[in-house]
Amino acid sequence: MDKPLRNIARSIFVVKEKAFLTPHYIRVTFKMSDEQVDLFQNMRSGSNNKIYIPSETQTYNTNYDESIWDSDFFTARRTYTTRNIDLINKTLKIDFVAHGDNGPASKWAENAKSEDFLGIAIKESQKPLVPNAENYFMVGDSTAIPVISAILETLPSTSNVVLFLEVNSYRDTFVLNTKAHLNVKWIYNSSPLNGSALAEEFIVLLAEEKPHYVFAAAEFETIKKIRKHMKEELQLERDQYNAVSYWKRGSSEEESNHERQKQRME
């Protein structure tokens, strides 16, 4: 069942507990066995993962073999952020945006309970989530909160961060942990599927002062506008920013995957 695949480890993880951190933000904590701790020892918090969602009729047992990864055992695969991996306490955490049954991952997370399970694959990487800088400008929608939270936890007290985060409402704000000097502006958008002004607001901020490093993660069109502004108006070098889209309005992950990968390479 557990197998290192090149520099990727994958295994079936069992839910330990689930909590709604806010009305639209779910944290699922998975147990880690001793074997999984060994298998995932070179993985890090903040990295991307692939979650494999089983059908509702599947039940967990310890006798699955490698064939399940290539069978119809799993009904969907989605990309998420490894919010935290704790090899000492033997837990792995993934945060989900709750938007009802609009998507298999959200549906699974909203209905998840103790002893439910997911397949999870993580690629090994030792590369820092962001390069060293004195000043960071960051922007993200709800889907980016896990990776931005992980980034913030790695920054030293000498760093300064200006952060724009878009969430559903004031009820979805929460304390972000970091040693850095952090200035957060929360933007409320109860209907992100209908559009966002996140890019326009962030561009106004970028015009005020040229940043050392920009990190942006959000919907495809939002990132398209931000990336265009950084390249054409601010003329930032490629090593001065990272702008990545996690989803595209009106498209599934499979449908938008090619466009988003192409955007990432530009």
Side-chain angles (χ1 to χ4, degrees):
M1 178 178 69
D2 302 340
K3 180 182 179 182
L5 186 65
R6 298 178 184 171
N7 58 343
I8 297 174
R10 63 188 185 187
S11 183
I12 291 180
F13 285 80
V14 176
V15 174
K16 180 179 181 180
E17 60 185 7
K18 180 185 80 174
F20 275 84
L21 302 186
T22 77
H24 295 92
Y25 200 62
I26 303 171
R27 175 163 295 165
V28 179
T29 302
F30 298 89
K31 307 172 186 177
M32 294 187 75
S33 66
D34 290 339
E35 292 77 12
Q36 288 171 328
V37 167
D38 182 63
L39 188 65
F40 287 80
Q41 62 180 314
N42 293 323
M43 312 307 170
R44 61 144 194 242
S45 302
S47 61
N48 284 347
N49 63 56
K50 294 289 185 182
I51 64 169
Y52 295 75
I53 303 167
S55 69
E56 297 178 7
T57 61
Q58 299 289 358
T59 57
Y60 175 75
N61 68 62
T62 58
N63 298 319
Y64 294 129
D65 59 31
E66 187 64 19
S67 65
I68 66 168
W69 299 101
D70 300 313
S71 69
D72 59 1
F73 183 91
F74 299 108
T75 60
R77 185 179 73 170
R78 292 291 184 268
T79 304
Y80 270 77
T81 295
T82 306
R83 177 60 187 88
N84 178 266
I85 183 166
D86 186 337
L87 302 179
I88 302 300
N89 293 309
K90 300 180 182 179
T91 59
L92 186 149
K93 298 177 182 178
I94 299 178
D95 293 348
F96 297 79
V97 178
H99 45 82
D101 291 348
N102 185 19
S106 173
K107 180 179 180 180
W108 181 89
E110 293 208 42
N111 292 287
K113 58 187 182 300
S114 178
E115 301 305 315
D116 283 353
F117 62 96
L118 282 181
I120 301 175
I122 306 176
K123 186 176 181 179
E124 180 178 348
S125 175
Q126 300 302 319
K127 182 180 178 182
L129 296 173
V130 292
N132 291 329
E134 181 180 352
N135 298 316
Y136 295 91
F137 284 59
M138 300 185 189
V139 58
D141 60 16
S142 295
T143 65
I145 290 177
V147 68
I148 288 176
S149 297
I151 290 171
L152 290 175
E153 290 172 358
T154 69
L155 298 181
S157 59
T158 53
S159 295
N160 303 298
V161 182
V162 175
L163 171 61
F164 273 26
L165 280 178
E166 181 186 82
V167 293
N168 185 274
S169 75
Y170 73 92
R171 297 177 64 204
D172 289 302
T173 64
F174 54 91
V175 175
L176 296 161
N177 296 316
T178 184
K179 295 178 181 178
H181 300 282
L182 178 62
N183 180 8
V184 185
K185 179 178 181 180
W186 296 91
I187 299 172
Y188 306 134
N189 181 3
S190 61
S191 302
L193 292 176
N194 295 324
S196 170
L198 187 59
E200 288 76 10
E201 295 215 31
F202 194 60
I203 286 170
V204 171
L205 172 68
L206 289 174
E208 296 177 0
E209 182 178 352
K210 191 171 183 178
H212 287 183
Y213 189 82
V214 176
F215 181 87
E219 192 274 331
F220 182 86
E221 293 299 330
T222 296
I223 293 300
K224 184 177 180 179
K225 294 174 184 176
I226 290 174
R227 183 186 291 271
K228 178 179 173 65
H229 183 78
M230 289 191 295
K231 290 175 63 178
E232 298 181 5
E233 301 299 325
L234 297 183
Q235 297 185 335
L236 295 183
E237 298 296 331
R238 189 61 188 87
D239 62 355
Q240 292 180 282
Y241 68 89
N242 184 18
V244 56
S245 56
Y246 284 162
W247 62 290
K248 184 177 182 182
R249 195 174 295 110
S251 301
S252 68
E253 180 170 325
E254 293 90 346
E255 292 168 338
S256 67
N257 188 50
H258 176 72
E259 287 183 278
R260 291 184 296 107
Q261 286 186 349
K262 182 180 177 181
Q263 182 191 68
R264 193 173 302 186
M265 297 298 293
E266 294 176 349

